[in-house]
Amino acid sequence: MSADSADTPVTAGPSASAGAGGTGPVRARASVASRIAARTGGGVMRVVLVLVGLFWLMPTVGLLLSSLRSPADINASGWWEVFTAPAQLTTENYARLLRNETITDSLLSTIMITVPATVLVVVVGSLAGYAFAWMEFPGRDWWFLAVVGLLVVPVQVALVPVSKLFGTIGIFETTTGVVLFHVAFGLPFAIFLLRNFFAEIPRELLEAARLDGAGEIRLFTRVVLPLGGPAIASLGIFQFLWVWNDMLIALIFADSESPPITVALQQQVRQFGNNIDVLAPGAFVSMLIPLAVFFAFQRQFVSGVMAGAVK
């Protein structure tokens, strides 16, 4: 090697810098992106989520505070005035609501519709989901495809023919008719959901139970139901909320003398216009029962959602 070549400085080209760990601008962009991700994953993101949650809850808080104000205060100012004048809060609206037979009867009618419709969908959907997942019978796959196809049928398509059918058999404008309608349109989703969940149960577990002498009923009640509890609880919560908050089916098929709470509140608006002192507590009371059901089964609901996400 000559002295000239030994004294010549060696400069690293673009390929050398790339081999050492990437180009400078790319590494700079990566570091900036990583810093932004780290910041959003920390306290800043928590503050943003808290603000979004408070903004989302604002209508509910406003409804609650409006239900605790007198009609004169409601007509005079907005619900936010409570924070500067807490003496406006009163429970007189709720006392008046409990004396309103229309609202109390509607709550009872809603419970009589929602509970049977939820229980029937959960029970029948569980049995059918197990049959489609683990029992062999002719045309099983085609029957399941027909059930899946029913998921896309809109409720509005069935209103007229079902109304004629219920009128013919004498259950139009009855609680039985409303329950049967909700069960019929709730079963396709229930069967689809539970069949897919039950199909993920290890086959070896079921075969071991059969070797121990378990029949289909014992296998369903002792093995499948305990393992499928989260999915069944999730289905029950969804079905309960759908039926409780329904207004279209109740408006058409329910008894006009004892309508559910959604129809009763709508009739209050139509008859009395701006009687917010009845509507606000009635609407808030109609929210409490679904919230109580959700929080009662919150752990099972989260487990079912997470299990479905993992699978």
Side-chain angles (χ1 to χ4, degrees):
M1 182 180 296
S2 62
D4 294 339
S5 61
D7 296 335
T8 302
V10 180
T11 56
S15 60
S17 63
T23 59
V26 173
R27 295 180 64 186
R29 288 196 296 268
S31 62
V32 172
S34 63
R35 288 198 300 268
I36 294 176
R39 290 181 180 179
T40 55
V44 177
M45 180 55 67
R46 292 191 183 93
V47 173
V48 173
L49 293 177
V50 169
L51 293 177
V52 171
L54 293 176
F55 182 77
W56 188 266
L57 289 174
M58 189 176 298
T60 304
V61 175
L63 180 64
L64 173 61
L65 296 179
S66 296
S67 67
L68 294 172
R69 304 176 71 207
S70 65
D73 293 331
I74 293 175
N75 295 326
S77 59
W79 57 266
W80 50 87
E81 294 293 333
V82 170
F83 296 104
T84 58
Q88 295 180 358
L89 298 178
T90 178
T91 59
E92 179 60 30
N93 291 339
Y94 288 92
R96 188 182 301 111
L97 180 71
L98 295 177
R99 296 192 298 267
N100 190 328
E101 294 184 358
T102 301
I103 300 298
T104 54
D105 292 344
S106 67
L107 285 173
L108 181 60
S109 299
T110 307
I111 295 174
M112 294 176 63
I113 292 172
T114 305
V115 173
T118 302
V119 172
L120 287 174
V121 167
V122 170
V123 172
V124 178
S126 300
L127 293 171
Y130 171 76
F132 280 117
W134 294 109
M135 296 181 67
E136 297 290 341
F137 54 90
R140 183 187 68 173
D141 295 336
W142 288 107
W143 282 109
F144 182 69
L145 289 177
V147 171
V148 173
L150 292 175
L151 290 172
V152 300
V153 177
V155 175
Q156 292 80 0
V157 173
L159 294 180
V160 174
V162 173
S163 299
K164 293 181 179 179
L165 175 63
F166 284 0
T168 302
I169 62 180
I171 60 173
F172 187 74
E173 287 195 351
T174 62
T175 301
T176 303
V178 182
V179 170
L180 290 179
F181 195 99
H182 283 297
V183 170
F185 276 87
L187 278 177
F189 175 75
I191 296 172
F192 174 76
L193 175 68
L194 295 180
R195 182 265 177 190
N196 292 336
F197 192 91
F198 292 161
E200 297 293 334
I201 298 176
R203 181 181 294 273
E204 294 79 8
L205 186 62
L206 301 180
E207 291 177 352
R210 288 193 176 97
L211 290 176
D212 291 337
E216 295 297 338
I217 296 178
R218 188 179 182 87
L219 190 66
F220 175 73
T221 56
R222 296 296 181 88
V223 179
V224 176
L225 283 184
L227 293 176
I232 295 173
S234 301
L235 172 64
I237 290 175
F238 280 126
Q239 180 69 14
F240 187 93
L241 295 178
W242 287 335
V243 179
W244 184 276
N245 295 321
D246 169 73
M247 182 174 179
L248 177 62
I249 309 305
L251 189 63
I252 296 175
F253 293 97
D255 187 0
S256 57
E257 298 297 327
S258 57
I261 185 64
T262 52
V263 179
L265 292 175
Q266 186 268 343
Q267 291 175 349
Q268 294 286 321
V269 175
R270 183 177 59 191
Q271 293 177 2
F272 304 107
N274 60 349
N275 57 337
I276 192 66
D277 57 311
V278 175
L279 295 177
F284 193 79
V285 168
S286 68
M287 293 170 52
L288 289 180
I289 296 179
L291 284 176
V293 171
F294 176 80
F295 285 116
F297 298 95
Q298 181 182 13
R299 181 172 300 178
Q300 291 82 356
F301 176 78
V302 174
S303 299
V305 172
M306 294 301 294
V310 172
K311 292 174 182 179

